[in-house]
Structure formats: structure tokens, C-alpha cells
Amino acid sequence: MRYVILGSSAAGVNAAKEIRRVDRDGEILMISRDETIYSRCILHHYLGNIRNIQQLDFTEPDFTEKYRIKFLKGREAVSVNCREHAVLLEDGERVSFDRLLIATGSHTFIPPVKGMREAGNVVGFRNLCDIDRIKAALPKASHVVVMGAGLVGLDTVSGLLDNKVKPVVVELADHLLCKQLDKKAASVYEAAMDEKGVKQYYGVGVQELFTGRDGNVKELLLSDGSKIPCDFLIVTAGVRANVEFLEGCRVETDRFGLLFNESGETNVPGIYGAGDVSGRAPIWPVAVKEGIIAGSNMAGVKRKMTDFFASKSTMNFFGIPTMSLGQAEPKDETELVETQEGREGYKKIIHKNGRILGAVIQGDLSYSGVLQQLIARRIDVSKVKKPIFEIDYSDFFHVSDNFEYYYQEDTKDE
């Protein structure tokens, strides 16, 4: 059996490890445009000179040898022939497969803002080469602007501050981390950045970009009519799935990215997908889990993505630990919101009909373990006769005669 994996990040690497765990004899080829294996989640540490390139590698030192993987690095797939079960590389080489995993990830999306795509000194924050460009430009840059205040945007700000650079942040939403946090939790990070000299614009977008005679960006026009100086722009506001090479083949995609089921399989038998290439849950734990599920099924052991809560983000910007689970804001008046503030920090839980839909915790994260169990097991918290922030494991876990923990749904009906 020949397994071909396109991509060498979280999904691809974990798929390869799972395939080898199940199939000791199959041939595994990993193909990637990257020259090295590295974690994109810690690229800001490379920017901040906290880690070198070798320290970005999240695999064992002998990864390819240990799992007997042939790594074709610095190579890129340009098309897939479903009928002939083959991948065509940009150098013309044709690689056949019995099972194929598409884990090609995503790329920075440069929005169609007037002047932005043509200007120089505009870069994303997605790949190692992006960070090298930023590091090379910083000594000469006086006005660095970060476009976007999501997780990648705050990573970028952290790396820039480590370089003694105080950037300007421009975010279209009315607060940072709008997908993960409510305004209350976000304001703590906003205040921390303000203390560090980071100027922030919220509720405005970049409307136009102006360049100098050298073709490089020099000024931004914001949607409120104001102008700010900018000689280096880092775009973190969005990504697009790397599925362009699938055009013309039978593998289905949509406007977000690659389509695959809970087993990781696409509409074409023998071809699987995992990770950011789906364009739906671009976070590391999801990519890892999807890679494992796909790898297992590729090797013949049936598994499904049914036991994982995908909408989880843990962050610790500026020494302030925060966790987001599910939705950060209620969607309508039928959803109940409970909050708690004190010396230990801030907690917020959104629930409906006894089921927790989302939560935000900032400061002491010790309660997050209980919350994750409540969400994962879909426990009806209305059956627990105590305040929601005082629920502990003893309220839904019980100990059997042999001292094993178990959960029984009906024990709180008494």
C-alpha cells in the first residue's frame, strides 16, 4: 500500500504517524512545499527571536526515520488525477498513490483593497518565508501596521513587541479576538496592549493603500476617513484554503475549502482531507485530530470525528491566560448568560435548556476542565442543584465499586 500525504504540518504529520501505527509495512510519502517541518502556531516566537528554526519543529529529531517516511520537501503538487490515482508535481514528476491525504493547509488572503495587492512591503503572517521578510524589514520600518486582531494578529503583535517595535493595529470588528472573546475579556488584552504603546483602531477597515515612488506602502486610508502612516503592512485578517491545484479534478470543494466527511474521506474513494484545507476550523488541535482520524481510516481502521469539541481556543497573551469554548456571545434572547468576576478573574457561561453552548474564562483557568466535560458529555446542568460556577466533578462523575469513574445521565433526576 502506498500512502501519499500532501502537507507537512499538524494534519499531515499526525496522519503519517497514525498510518505507521496501523500499517507497519506500507510506503508513506510526504510531499510539501516547505523545506522544513515547523509549527505555524509559534512563528511569533521565531519573529521574536525566542526560538530558532530548529526549535519550531514539533516532531521528534528522527521523525522521518522512526516512522519510515520518505519526505519530498520543497516540492509542490499542481494537480491530482483521480482516475489514474496520481499526483503531478510542479517539476513534472508523477507520483502514484493507493491512498491520498490532502493536508495542504491555507494561505494568507490579501483582500481586494485598492492598491494593496500591487504594493510592496505588504506581507502575510502564515509561512516561514513571511517571517523572514518581516525580520529583514523591521530595522528599516518606522510605521508597522498589523491588519487584523484575531489570534494570528495578536501573535504578530507579540512578536513585534519582542523586537521593540510598537505596531498599530487595525481591526474591522469592535474588539479584538471577536470570534473567541466577548468585549469584556477582550478589553483586558486591549488595555495591556495600550500600556505597551500599541495604538489600536477598532470598528474600521483599510479602505485604500497609498504607495511612494518606490512602489512600497506609505499610508493607509481607513473607512472612517482618517489616514495613518504605514511603511510596512502585515495582513492577518483572513486565510484561504490551498485547493487551487484541485481545479479540474473530481474532488469536491466549496467556497471555504476541501469537503470531507467525519471519517476524513472526500467524495472520491481513497482520497482524504484533514486540517486547515477545509477552511472551517483553522486551529491546531482540530488539524491534529482530523489527521489522526484520516490516517486511521486510510490504513483500514474505521474511526469518526465524533468525540471532539472543535471550537476551543486557549491563549496567554501578555501573561493573561484565557480560554474560549464554543460561542462567546448569545445568539438570541432564549440563551441565558451568567457571569462571575472576582480576584481570580472573569468567567462567562452561555447555556440553553440546561446545555452549555459556550464559555469564556480569563485569569484562573482551573474551572476549564469541568466546563469541557460538561460540554463534551452534553450534561444537563439544570439538574445540578447548585450555582453553575460551583459545579464540580462530583456532581456528574461517580465512583464504582472498583473505584473507576463513570457518568450516569439520570442520577440528578431525584
Side-chain angles (χ1 to χ4, degrees):
M1 182 73 72
R2 171 182 266 199
Y3 306 93
V4 173
I5 297 172
L6 303 181
S8 62
S9 193
V13 165
N14 283 280
K17 293 168 70 172
E18 184 67 12
I19 290 170
R20 181 58 70 217
R21 186 187 70 81
V22 176
D23 186 346
R24 303 302 303 172
D25 302 316
E27 181 185 7
I28 303 176
L29 278 73
M30 180 177 288
I31 302 170
S32 174
R33 66 172 67 175
D34 292 315
E35 293 285 346
T36 60
I37 295 174
Y38 62 91
S39 169
R40 286 171 171 80
C41 295
I42 51 177
L43 280 175
H44 59 292
H45 287 171
Y46 178 57
L47 174 60
N49 301 308
I50 297 171
R51 297 174 187 250
N52 57 32
I53 292 178
Q54 291 72 33
Q55 292 169 326
L56 296 178
D57 191 339
F58 58 94
T59 62
E60 303 96 320
D62 59 347
F63 168 69
T64 54
E65 293 80 11
K66 180 179 179 179
Y67 295 96
R68 288 180 285 122
I69 297 168
K70 183 178 180 181
F71 184 25
L72 303 182
K73 57 187 178 181
R75 311 284 291 278
E76 186 173 359
V78 294
S79 67
V80 174
N81 189 316
C82 299
R83 183 174 56 83
E84 297 181 5
H85 273 215
V87 175
L88 180 66
L89 305 186
E90 61 180 344
D91 59 6
E93 183 177 353
R94 183 177 178 276
V95 180
S96 62
F97 63 84
D98 295 302
R99 299 285 187 274
L100 173 68
L101 176 66
I102 300 171
T104 46
S106 58
H107 60 272
T108 298
F109 174 67
I110 304 296
V113 172
K114 186 176 180 181
M116 186 172 293
R117 293 180 175 176
E118 300 79 25
N121 281 357
V122 176
V123 65
F125 198 95
R126 188 69 186 167
N127 300 309
L128 198 60
C129 58
D130 295 331
I131 315 305
D132 285 333
R133 283 187 61 189
I134 295 170
K135 293 178 77 166
L138 287 184
K140 298 171 286 186
S142 302
H143 303 285
V144 179
V145 175
V146 177
M147 181 178 171
L151 288 169
V152 178
L154 264 67
D155 278 343
T156 306
V157 170
S158 297
L160 292 170
L161 289 172
D162 286 334
N163 281 275
K164 311 301 181 185
V165 174
K166 298 176 181 179
V168 172
V169 174
V170 178
E171 167 59 49
L172 191 59
D174 63 357
H175 64 277
L176 57 75
L177 296 173
C178 62
K179 293 182 179 179
Q180 292 82 19
L181 304 182
D182 60 7
K183 294 188 73 171
K184 171 67 178 177
S187 68
V188 176
Y189 282 143
E190 290 169 6
M193 288 203 297
D194 187 62
E195 288 181 4
K196 294 180 180 296
V198 179
K199 190 169 185 180
Q200 302 155 71
Y201 294 85
Y202 295 104
V204 294
V206 177
Q207 185 169 303
E208 188 172 354
L209 182 149
F210 301 100
T211 59
R213 291 183 178 179
D214 57 1
N216 292 329
V217 56
K218 69 171 185 178
E219 189 176 54
L220 303 178
L221 172 65
L222 304 185
S223 56
D224 63 357
S226 60
K227 292 183 179 180
I228 58 174
C230 173
D231 55 15
F232 198 84
L233 176 64
I234 304 174
V235 180
T236 72
V239 296
R240 291 292 184 272
N242 291 323
V243 294
E244 295 86 355
F245 71 101
L246 296 175
E247 186 176 350
C249 79
R250 292 192 293 115
V251 178
E252 290 184 353
T253 61
D254 64 6
R255 64 188 183 90
F256 296 106
L258 182 67
L259 295 171
F260 50 86
N261 61 25
E262 58 187 4
S263 297
E265 193 165 25
T266 69
N267 64 301
V268 179
I271 299 181
Y272 294 75
D276 292 3
V277 72
S278 72
R280 284 164 172 79
I283 58 175
W284 188 270
V286 175
V288 170
K289 186 73 172 184
E290 288 181 347
I292 292 171
I293 296 297
S296 179
N297 285 291
M298 289 169 72
V301 176
K302 301 300 181 184
R303 293 176 67 181
K304 290 185 177 181
M305 190 83 167
T306 59
D307 60 344
F308 189 67
F309 183 64
S311 300
K312 170 187 172 183
S313 296
T314 304
M315 59 211 81
N316 192 12
F317 296 109
F318 318 115
I320 306 167
T322 307
M323 177 178 285
S324 171
L325 294 163
Q327 62 191 69
E329 299 284 7
K331 295 181 179 179
D332 57 56
E333 63 276 3
T334 66
E335 297 178 357
L336 303 178
V337 178
E338 297 190 46
T339 61
Q340 184 181 76
E341 294 183 58
R343 296 169 60 183
E344 295 181 349
Y346 170 66
K347 298 183 182 73
K348 174 180 178 178
I349 294 177
I350 301 169
H351 58 96
K352 179 180 180 179
N353 298 328
R355 309 293 183 185
I356 296 178
L357 304 175
V360 175
I361 308 176
Q362 191 169 66
D364 181 5
L365 301 186
S366 58
Y367 191 55
S368 63
V370 173
L371 274 176
Q372 289 182 72
Q373 289 291 337
L374 293 173
I375 293 173
R377 294 175 179 272
R378 294 186 54 78
I379 294 172
D380 187 349
V381 296
S382 67
K383 296 180 179 181
V384 181
K385 306 306 180 185
K386 62 167 60 173
I388 196 167
F389 292 109
E390 296 179 13
I391 297 175
D392 57 37
Y393 289 108
S394 66
D395 293 307
F396 53 93
F397 274 131
H398 307 274
V399 183
S400 63
D401 292 339
N402 61 352
F403 300 103
E404 291 183 349
Y405 289 98
Y406 70 95
Y407 170 67
Q408 183 174 326
E409 175 67 41
D410 296 329
T411 55
K412 293 298 177 182
D413 285 337
E414 303 175 336

